[in-house]
Amino acid sequence: MTPHRFRIASVLAAVGWTVASTALAVSIEGPTTYAAGSAVAAAATLVAGWALVLVGAWAWWERSGSSGPVILALGVTWLAPLWVGWDGGPPLVRSLAMLLVPIAPALLLHLALMSPSGQLESWLSRRVMAGAYALTIAYSLVKAAVHDPFLDLHCWSNCSDNVFLVRADPGLSRALDSAWVMASLVTGLVVAGVAARRFRATSVVGRHLYGPVLLPLAATGVSQAVSAGLLLSDPADGPDRAVFVAAYLLRAASWTALAGGTGWALSRTHRTRTALQHVTDGLGTAADPAPLEASLASALDDSSVQVAYWLTDPERYVDSEGREWDPPSADRTATPIVRRGEPVAVVVHDPAVTVTARLAAEIGQAARLAVDNERLRAGLLAQLADLRASRVRIVEAADTTRQRLERDLHDGAQQRLLALTYELRMARADAAARGDRERERGLARACELAQAAVTDLRDLAHGIYPAVLTESGLGPALWSLSDTVAVPVRIADVPEERFAEPVERAAYVVVSSVIDADPRDDLAVAVAAEEGSLVVSVSPVRHDPDVGVVDRVGALGGRIVVQDGTLRAELPCG
């Protein structure tokens, strides 16, 4: 039998079992099952059974991990006590149902260990489940071989039929029952602990996605432990005792909630896949598609989704804006998109969004053109970012050269001129002392020329790269600049805090270039920090800014606008 046919046959058998169990629950009379005790208990039994079977069949049909068969088996075992309590029913049927009942705790543990991914992911969890199923099967077979219902002092459901009895051993049967109840108690606590721990450990997105499964699963574990604890304290349970009926209804409610939460998660997964398919279809056919990153974030209900694109020259990943992309942190998952063995892109998302296991194939087939377009756009933006970075490096290199030249002029030529001036003054004083008037006048003229050369050299060095800009900041540098020009320059509102050196240098060059272009106008200069940018305003301005100044501002990602006689330069500070 093929796997597909086996799945269909199993689902049909489980549904048939549930239909027959429903008919049996309605027809049973007498206190041999909890469902026969009251209409509320009967409704709770059937609702839980139907919910588990239908949700398990849906999960198995959708191939949502391997949780489908487990949930389906839980529904079958939940309804098994109805067949055990079928007074007057075929002994073989009642005996087979007795073999099914003890499997429920192992199935519950299996479901807890595979949640929320739907798989037993670790070697330890697979070993634990193999041992749990082996012990459960061993218990059921040995119990069937030694249990004589007629000799059971606490019997209330099936007190007559066991076709598998080999040799009655009431002592061993009671010991096995005690061990199974203790194991059920421990299993319930483990299930509750595992579900609660995984709920706490998952992200906000994961809690939103899997909370409706993990929280009812924890409640189911608690209800299982409560029922086992009551049996340990008093083995004489039955539908005529209120505390046991309450525990049974608690189990029924928690198992129904578990089925409902699983069904909600399945419907959400289905909606997500549909939305994802619509995204890929829209990306592949729309004339002006939405950005892939935003579309995936909406479809997956994960606002933290990021898409990075693979570039080959040089080999690297960049984001949708062309910026260098760093690998995700440990709390993120990256799903690669590969075409013909070559990387195309990578989608970074919350690890709870497991539906994206099919993401690469779906995007690669349905939105190939859109991915390529966005990849091309990211590549162009990356080249633009590289060009901007290159422009910044060129400007910084030029500023560094100017700064070094200014320092060399100040520390070299200027110092030598000052020393020469000192020597000339000493020679002039000596000529005056000797009464050599002609020589004194010549040396006086030489001192004046040397002092003028020092002044010119100092002004030249300051113009090349003002040292006050590096040492004291933009405000003092602008005030110093205003003192060296003939026209009045009114400077106001210069922030006291320091900015990045390239930003301060660009702001200074903007102001000095306007002063050089309009040396006869009274100028007003204002500098302010606005929304992450340093804004320089100069007015009045009658000429377009120098190309070199525009390039300098543009290299920093800023812009210059001249409007109504006012120049406004915006320099990003980030």
Side-chain angles (χ1 to χ4, degrees):
M1 181 180 294
T2 64
H4 179 68
R5 291 183 177 180
F6 175 75
R7 184 168 65 251
I8 294 177
S10 299
V11 169
L12 291 177
V15 172
W17 169 272
T18 308
V19 171
S21 299
T22 303
L24 186 63
V26 174
S27 62
I28 289 180
E29 296 180 358
T32 56
T33 65
Y34 280 103
S38 66
V40 173
T45 301
L46 295 177
V47 168
W50 272 107
L52 288 169
V53 169
L54 293 178
V55 169
W58 184 13
W60 200 359
W61 189 261
E62 291 285 333
R63 300 181 182 180
S64 178
S66 57
S67 61
V70 177
I71 298 174
L72 193 70
L74 274 172
V76 171
T77 57
W78 170 258
L79 296 172
L82 292 174
W83 299 87
V84 176
W86 187 11
D87 192 16
L92 178 60
V93 173
R94 303 183 75 185
S95 300
L96 287 173
M98 289 173 60
L99 295 177
L100 292 177
V101 172
I103 304 177
L107 292 171
L108 196 60
L109 179 62
H110 192 171
L111 190 61
L113 293 179
M114 69 169 54
S115 294
S117 67
Q119 300 289 341
L120 294 175
E121 297 179 347
S122 68
W123 173 87
L124 178 60
S125 62
R126 290 189 291 271
R127 292 290 183 178
V128 168
M129 285 316 307
Y133 282 125
L135 291 175
T136 299
I137 292 173
Y139 162 79
S140 295
L141 294 178
V142 175
K143 175 71 182 298
V146 301
H147 176 64
D148 187 348
F150 186 75
L151 301 178
D152 187 356
L153 298 178
H154 303 293
C155 175
W156 63 273
S157 180
N158 177 13
C159 301
S160 59
D161 297 322
N162 180 11
V163 299
F164 303 114
L165 178 63
V166 176
R167 179 177 179 275
D169 190 337
L172 179 58
S173 179
R174 285 193 296 271
L176 289 172
D177 287 342
S178 298
W180 181 81
V181 172
M182 181 60 70
S184 297
L185 173 63
V186 173
T187 300
L189 295 176
V190 170
V191 168
V194 168
R197 182 179 62 83
R198 292 187 175 178
F199 178 79
R200 291 195 304 269
T202 192
S203 62
V204 174
V205 175
R207 292 180 181 182
H208 184 61
L209 289 175
Y210 301 117
V213 176
L214 292 175
L215 294 179
L217 186 58
T220 304
V222 171
S223 68
Q224 180 73 26
V226 168
S227 297
L230 289 175
L231 283 175
L232 282 178
S233 62
D234 187 357
D237 65 326
D240 57 339
R241 305 191 62 182
V243 64
F244 286 99
V245 173
Y248 179 80
L249 293 177
L250 176 63
R251 288 179 60 206
S254 62
W255 286 46
T256 303
L258 175 61
T262 304
W264 183 91
L266 287 171
S267 65
R268 184 183 181 86
T269 299
H270 182 75
R271 292 195 305 271
T272 301
R273 286 176 177 169
T274 302
L276 184 60
Q277 187 61 50
H278 289 164
V279 167
T280 55
D281 290 344
L283 287 172
T285 60
D288 185 19
L292 178 60
E293 189 171 284
S295 299
L296 289 177
S298 176
L300 300 177
D301 198 16
D302 180 7
S303 59
S304 64
V305 166
Q306 294 178 319
V307 180
Y309 302 90
W310 176 252
L311 303 182
T312 56
D313 187 21
E315 292 186 348
R316 54 178 171 158
Y317 278 104
V318 297
D319 63 14
S320 58
E321 298 300 324
R323 296 183 294 264
E324 195 80 17
W325 178 78
D326 296 324
S329 57
D331 60 345
R332 307 285 292 158
T333 296
T335 298
I337 300 176
V338 180
R339 184 175 303 151
R340 293 188 295 271
E342 296 295 330
V344 175
V346 61
V347 180
V348 182
H349 53 86
D350 192 283
V353 186
T354 55
V355 70
T356 52
R358 298 169 52 186
L359 189 63
E362 292 178 351
I363 291 181
Q365 295 174 6
R368 182 171 301 174
L369 179 61
V371 172
D372 288 340
N373 287 341
E374 293 225 6
R375 185 185 182 191
L376 178 61
R377 175 179 176 274
L380 293 175
L381 290 175
Q383 292 179 4
L384 180 61
D386 291 341
L387 178 60
R388 183 177 292 115
S390 176
R391 293 174 64 188
V392 171
R393 289 193 296 269
I394 291 173
V395 171
E396 290 179 349
D399 286 345
T400 301
T401 302
R402 292 189 183 96
Q403 191 174 17
R404 184 172 62 250
L405 182 58
E406 185 273 339
R407 186 171 57 250
D408 292 342
L409 289 174
H410 181 274
D411 297 339
Q414 181 176 310
Q415 296 302 320
R416 287 191 289 272
L417 280 174
L418 288 173
L420 176 61
T421 303
Y422 177 77
E423 293 294 337
L424 290 173
R425 287 175 178 174
M426 293 293 294
R428 177 188 174 189
D430 182 66
R434 293 183 180 185
D436 191 346
R437 301 300 179 187
E438 183 177 356
R439 184 181 180 188
E440 180 184 0
R441 286 193 296 272
L443 290 173
R445 177 60 180 166
C447 286
E448 292 175 0
L449 293 175
Q451 185 61 45
V454 170
T455 302
D456 291 343
L457 187 61
R458 182 181 295 113
D459 293 341
L460 175 63
H462 185 273
I464 291 175
Y465 197 98
V468 65
L469 180 63
T470 302
E471 296 172 358
S472 302
L474 182 59
L478 293 179
W479 284 108
S480 176
L481 176 63
S482 67
D483 292 338
T484 63
V485 297
V487 298
V489 179
R490 301 187 304 276
I491 300 175
D493 301 331
V494 180
E496 295 183 358
E497 66 266 25
R498 297 298 302 269
F499 300 91
E501 186 174 339
V503 174
E504 290 185 342
R505 176 63 182 170
Y508 179 87
V509 170
V510 167
V511 176
S512 64
S513 67
V514 174
I515 292 175
D516 293 339
D518 297 306
R520 291 176 295 179
D521 290 332
D522 294 348
L523 297 176
V525 178
V527 183
E530 299 179 4
E531 298 180 355
S533 296
L534 184 65
V535 179
V536 180
S537 299
V538 185
S539 61
V541 175
R542 294 189 176 90
H543 304 281
D544 291 333
D546 183 72
V547 175
V549 177
V550 175
D551 289 343
R552 175 183 288 273
V553 174
L556 299 176
R559 63 171 185 162
I560 293 180
V561 177
V562 178
Q563 187 176 8
D564 298 331
T566 300
L567 181 146
R568 177 183 172 90
E570 298 178 0
L571 302 165
C573 299

